[in-house]
Amino acid sequence: MPAVTASAPGKIILFGEHAVVYGRPAIAVPVTQVKARAVVSAAPGSAAGQVLIEAPSIHQQAYLADLPADDPLKKALTLALEHLQISRPPACKVRIGSTIPVAAGLGSGAAVSVALLRAFSAFLGHPLPDDVVNALAFEVEKLHHGTPSGIDNTVITYARPVFFQRREGGNLIETFPSPQPFTVLVADTGVPSPTAAAVGDVRRAWQQDPPRYEALFDRAGELARAARKAIEAGKPHELGPLMDANHALLQEMGVSSPELERLVQAARTAGALGAKLSGGGRGGNMIALVEADQVEAVSQALLGVGAARAFMTRVEAQG
Ligand code: PMV
């Protein structure tokens, strides 16, 4: 059995964070410059059924049977075996690596699940189709987040923009075409910021002044809809002002920070078409829309004002 390799990208929220919690639409896009990778190879000397999992970046090496049931790697492999109705896989080694920063809102957990499901099922001779990979990765997400929306596993499985809206009786999750590629810089403030804390603060503020926050959420939802139209129409440069407007709303929601402001301003001054915080806010990452020939100047500006890391990603053209 030849070794099989599969990979999956990270993700960022382009529009609509926080408002999405209150039923307004959001857009996420894949981040292909960072990746999770899984390699599955035969282990001829070992007994059938033995699956050795190696994840050097998190210092993990264990047999599948020895991992606890709530281990996300075990969950992904077990779901694949159950789906394929295989009780005793051939002896093999599963090696996992990732360049996606962890706990940074970049979807590293979902990307590992997707890469693992693809490589393992292909090694077993039954590569799973995307809809099954997506559904199984969603089950693994429940271990990471409890009540995941499903946006991370979807954008990462299909590696294309996703339009998402929470709805009673079933969320709306749609992939959509992006006929023109565009370039986004992702820069990290270096300030860790648990998403749950920012989400809790927004909830308290909303409870104190519902009309004001509902209006902010409405405007964020309108921006996400306008952004989808611009992407679908092949006019991604129109996203710049929409990003600036979304950032202003997030400021008003109280989730920006001095570090985020410094990076957003520096990106705009260096020529970005638009910039905003991305994800929970308070710290974490910001994103900037840039023309290909501005990547270097804007990256240098971001690093110059203290970004811990900056990297570029391209949202590729998809029909
Ligand atoms: O930081 P991330 O990518 O996990 O995004 C958080 C997005 C929020 O809207 C702030 C929370 C949520 O659950 O949607």
Side-chain angles (χ1 to χ4, degrees), residues 153-175:
N153 46 281
T154 304
V155 67
I156 285 167
T157 298
Y158 294 98
R160 57 194 295 170
V162 166
F163 183 85
F164 175 86
Q165 191 166 10
R166 269 175 101 156
R167 286 195 312 203
E168 294 275 331
N171 296 332
L172 174 75
I173 305 182
E174 292 177 342
T175 56

Side-chain angles (χ1 to χ4, degrees), residues 4 14 66 98 116 170 176 178 185 235 246 280 318:
V4 180
L14 208 56
D66 297 336
S98 177
L116 203 49
F176 60 96
S178 57
L185 277 173
K235 297 176 176 170
N246 197 164
Q318 311 259 2

Side-chain angles (χ1 to χ4, degrees), residues 24-36:
R24 274 59 163 199
I27 291 180
V29 296
V31 173
T32 49
Q33 250 63 28
V34 289
K35 274 187 175 37

Side-chain angles (χ1 to χ4, degrees), residues 60-166:
Q60 189 169 324
Q61 186 183 44
Y63 283 101
L64 177 61
D66 297 336
L67 288 172
D70 62 355
D71 180 278
L73 306 178
K74 177 172 185 137
K75 181 85 179 169
L77 294 171
T78 307
L79 285 168
L81 289 170
E82 284 170 5
H83 183 85
L84 297 170
Q85 300 185 327
I86 294 173
S87 52
R88 228 171 139 73
C92 59
K93 186 170 88 173
V94 179
R95 200 177 160 84
I96 296 148
S98 177
T99 56
I100 307 175
V102 291
L106 292 170
S108 79
V112 166
S113 298
V114 169
L116 203 49
L117 288 161
R118 286 192 176 135
F120 193 48
S121 61
F123 174 79
L124 296 170
H126 302 281
L128 295 172
D130 282 348
D131 59 335
V132 176
V133 168
N134 193 26
L136 300 185
F138 179 63
E139 292 305 310
V140 184
E141 284 289 279
K142 290 181 183 167
L143 291 177
H144 287 295
H145 298 302
T147 53
S149 62
I151 193 170
D152 278 22
N153 46 281
T154 304
V155 67
I156 285 167
T157 298
Y158 294 98
R160 57 194 295 170
V162 166
F163 183 85
F164 175 86
Q165 191 166 10
R166 269 175 101 156

Side-chain angles (χ1 to χ4, degrees), residues 212 244 246-256 261 265 268 277:
R212 175 162 173 253
D244 289 344
N246 197 164
H247 184 73
L249 296 175
L250 290 159
Q251 277 176 325
E252 287 193 57
M253 289 176 209
V255 292
S256 192
E261 289 306 311
Q265 289 307 332
R268 290 178 186 155
L277 71 86

